[in-house]
């Protein structure tokens, strides 16, 4: 979309991503004078070569960050409220956490989760393009469900090597079996703190969620991965009551 705005003539993008972030990008580009239409569908059309001008635009809230905070609340117990994210953007995650035993209260731009840290298994979780269950939310939600009673099956259809965090979770006592795109999570009574290393962004988030729910102290390295997707992560979690510091 960005390149097509600078190119002369009409560009059509077929099988386009439909995520809210694509719609937000279209809003910004159009505010700058670009001619873009179709965002949110599988066909985006750009008439390029139009001079652009400055504009003021407020970027939408990060729904994956919001999902991570909710997963942390589900895993550790307590109450977490996220604001500024339309409830429909979080529905795949909030519906699942509700099935896992959390109390979810939804308003137009606010979602509040209340839980006691005791979760139960949910039906199979299959990642899918928007508006399906987001692949980026799968690792932190999986981390929360490692303590859920029963067995939950995850099927990853979007991203290769999405299960690299499972080996680190196993070091904390999680019972996870991975075969290809399928991960089977058998809930355990509790997790134990450990020295852990984040291998990627969302896997690192999963380790943080698990550490918040575990007994004892955990040390997580590889923070440069987390810094790619979370601003002021430790400060945000401390504001929620977490005992977390960055060394």
């Amino acid at each position: 979309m960005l390149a097509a705005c600078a190119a002369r003539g009409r560009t059509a993008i077929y099988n386009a991503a439909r995520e809210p972030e694509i719609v937000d990008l279209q809003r910004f580009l159009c505010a700058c004078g670009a001619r873009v239409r179709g965002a949110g569908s599988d066909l985006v059309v750009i008439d390029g070569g139009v001079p652009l001008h400055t504009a003021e635009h407020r970027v939408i809230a990060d729904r994956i960050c919001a999902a991570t905070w909710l997963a942390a609340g589900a895993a550790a117990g307590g109450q977490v409220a996220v604001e500024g994210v339309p409830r429909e953007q979080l529905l795949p995650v909030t519906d699942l956490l509700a099935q896992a035993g959390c109390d979810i209260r939804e308003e137009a731009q606010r979602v509040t989760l209340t839980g006691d840290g005791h979760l139960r298994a949910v039906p199979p979780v299959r990642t899918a393009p928007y508006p399906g269950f987001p692949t980026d939310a799968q690792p932190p939600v999986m981390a929360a469900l490692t303590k859920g009673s029963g067995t939950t099956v995850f099927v990853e259809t979007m991203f290769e090597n999405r299960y690299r965090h499972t080996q680190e979770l196993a070091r904390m006592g999680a019972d996870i079996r991975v075969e290809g795109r399928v991960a089977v999570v058998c809930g355990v009574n509790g997790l134990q703190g450990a020295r852990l290393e984040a291998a990627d962004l969302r896997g690192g988030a999963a380790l943080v969620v698990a550490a918040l729910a575990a007994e004892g102290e955990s040390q997580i390295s590889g923070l440069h991965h987390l810094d790619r997707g979370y601003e002021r992560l430790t400060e945000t979690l401390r504001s929620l009551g977490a005992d977390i510091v960055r060394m």
Side-chain angles (χ1 to χ4, degrees), residues 65-77 79-82 140 204-213 220 223 226 230-246:
C65 279
T68 302
W69 310 143
L70 293 175
Q79 186 176 88
V80 175
V82 294
L207 301 185
V208 172
V209 168
L212 292 170
I220 302 173
L223 299 186
L226 282 162
Y230 297 92
E231 184 180 16
R232 298 173 57 84
L233 180 142
T234 54
E235 291 85 349
T236 298
L237 290 173
R238 274 204 302 270
S239 72
L240 291 170
D243 183 0
I244 180 172
V245 295
R246 180 166 181 150

Side-chain angles (χ1 to χ4, degrees), residues 125 138 142 151-156 163 165-166 175-186:
V125 181
Q138 179 254 102
M142 177 189 287
T151 300
T152 299
V153 176
F154 289 82
V155 182
E156 177 56 57
Y163 293 137
H165 59 285
T166 59
D175 184 355
I176 305 175
R177 297 187 295 275
V178 176
E179 184 171 344
R181 293 182 175 271
V182 177
V184 180
V185 180
C186 299

Side-chain angles (χ1 to χ4, degrees), residues 68-240:
T68 302
W69 310 143
L70 293 175
Q79 186 176 88
V80 175
V82 294
E83 296 182 344
V85 183
R87 59 178 295 277
E88 62 271 12
Q89 294 183 15
L90 289 172
L91 276 177
V93 174
T94 54
D95 283 353
L96 185 147
L97 293 176
Q99 292 179 69
C102 297
D103 178 65
I104 304 291
R105 188 168 70 251
E106 297 175 321
E107 302 170 47
Q109 295 285 325
R110 179 186 177 101
V111 174
T112 303
L113 176 144
T114 305
D116 59 7
H118 295 90
L119 303 177
R120 56 177 176 265
V122 299
V125 181
R126 179 182 292 271
T127 62
Y130 187 85
F133 192 90
T135 178
D136 284 341
Q138 179 254 102
V141 169
M142 177 189 287
L145 288 174
T146 57
K147 290 179 55 184
S149 60
T151 300
T152 299
V153 176
F154 289 82
V155 182
E156 177 56 57
T157 68
M158 300 294 295
F159 185 68
E160 294 182 359
N161 298 324
R162 180 57 90 187
Y163 293 137
R164 285 187 288 180
H165 59 285
T166 59
Q167 294 180 346
E168 297 296 285
L169 292 176
R171 298 179 60 212
M172 305 178 75
D175 184 355
I176 305 175
R177 297 187 295 275
V178 176
E179 184 171 344
R181 293 182 175 271
V182 177
V184 180
V185 180
C186 299
V188 296
N189 291 328
L191 302 175
Q192 298 298 317
R195 289 179 177 268
L196 309 164
E197 182 173 1
D200 55 51
L201 168 57
R202 304 308 176 186
L207 301 185
V208 172
V209 168
L212 292 170
E215 295 291 332
E217 181 181 277
S218 295
Q219 296 182 20
I220 302 173
S221 58
L223 299 186
H224 60 285
H225 293 297
L226 282 162
D227 290 341
R228 289 179 44 235
Y230 297 92
E231 184 180 16
R232 298 173 57 84
L233 180 142
T234 54
E235 291 85 349
T236 298
L237 290 173
R238 274 204 302 270
S239 72
L240 291 170

